[in-house]
Amino acid sequence: MDFSTLQKNLEALGYEVHAFEDSRQANAHLAEELKGKTVGIGGSTTAAQMGLYDALSKESKVVTHSVPQEGKTADELKAEAAQAEVYISSVNGIAETGEIINIDHSGNRVASTIYGHKKVILLVGENKVALDYEAAYHRARNIAGPKNAQRLGRKTPCAIKADKCYDCKSPERICRAVSVFLTKPASCAYEIVLIHEDLGY
């Protein structure tokens, strides 16, 4: 995939953008940039597939509820991640025109990508890119959501085939909060990391 149009549009919206050929290059860049900082990572299959926690933990304090810590609950780790200098999340859909969509269950991830940090870094595998806002939103609802529900073993209609969102009323529904960035939020610095790999859902 050619990231040039996406990168140009994101930069025009105020984002700092870096593109990498693979996860190894992206990890090296982030490890150098975040050396000595406190870093929170939201629940992210992309970050897990990249091995990002291990890459950053060598020289930074990294907190994520995806990596259990003895004596701390998942909610405590989410709260600690929300206090970090830098917060890292993947995205569920991104339009070539620059809109960014994320869907969340408890809201910790979308909240932390909007406010509360000195910098937010968003990870984007090339499979997350869609042509426009409508396609990116559709992707987040009908591809990312069902696949994540299936991965988590949820008893929801979408998890049976992971084929589409059924807008269900299940108590195990994971798609409960949606954030849409029309342009860069004014709360802090934002960096978009584009990676020429299929990563996450």
Side-chain angles (χ1 to χ4, degrees):
M1 168 175 284
D2 183 357
F3 281 139
S4 58
T5 298
L6 175 59
Q7 183 164 353
K8 178 182 177 181
N9 288 335
L10 288 170
E11 288 173 343
L13 294 173
Y15 297 101
E16 174 188 354
V17 185
H18 298 279
F20 299 96
E21 287 302 313
D22 54 36
S23 297
R24 181 187 58 79
Q25 291 181 3
N27 284 346
H29 162 77
L30 292 171
E32 179 62 28
E33 176 185 346
L34 301 177
K35 189 180 298 183
K37 299 184 183 300
T38 59
V39 181
I41 303 178
S44 168
T45 300
T46 295
Q49 290 175 345
M50 291 172 64
L52 187 60
Y53 179 87
D54 289 339
L56 298 183
S57 294
K58 296 172 184 175
E59 298 194 67
S60 301
K61 180 183 178 182
V62 185
V63 181
T64 174
H65 68 281
S66 299
V67 179
Q69 291 186 23
E70 187 174 351
K72 293 186 179 181
T73 67
D75 284 342
E76 288 171 336
L77 292 171
K78 289 176 185 178
E80 191 173 339
Q83 301 300 314
E85 295 174 80
V86 179
Y87 193 82
I88 299 177
S89 172
S90 51
V91 305
N92 294 134
I94 186 168
E96 281 201 344
T97 45
E99 296 90 351
I100 300 170
I101 295 93
N102 263 320
I103 297 179
D104 206 359
H105 174 257
S106 62
N108 65 296
R109 189 167 58 97
V110 296
S112 280
T113 60
I114 295 171
Y115 189 81
H117 305 274
K118 292 182 178 179
K119 187 170 190 175
V120 170
I121 298 173
L122 299 175
L123 309 171
V124 180
E126 60 185 15
N127 54 312
K128 304 295 185 69
V129 182
L131 182 63
D132 54 24
Y133 167 75
E134 288 77 14
Y137 183 80
H138 182 273
R139 186 198 187 284
R141 288 293 301 272
N142 294 284
I143 297 177
K147 286 186 176 181
N148 274 311
Q150 190 177 64
R151 173 180 63 86
L152 294 168
R154 296 302 178 103
K155 295 180 177 65
T156 57
C158 72
I160 296 172
K161 294 183 179 180
D163 59 343
K164 66 176 183 177
C165 174
Y166 290 83
D167 197 20
C168 72
K169 302 299 185 288
S170 170
E172 295 198 17
R173 176 173 174 155
I174 66 168
C175 52
R176 292 173 177 262
V178 179
S179 67
V180 177
F181 288 5
L182 301 174
T183 186
K184 185 188 84 65
S187 56
C188 68
Y190 280 79
E191 178 179 350
I192 312 295
V193 175
L194 307 174
I195 306 167
H196 284 285
E197 292 179 350
D198 283 1
L199 292 166
Y201 304 118

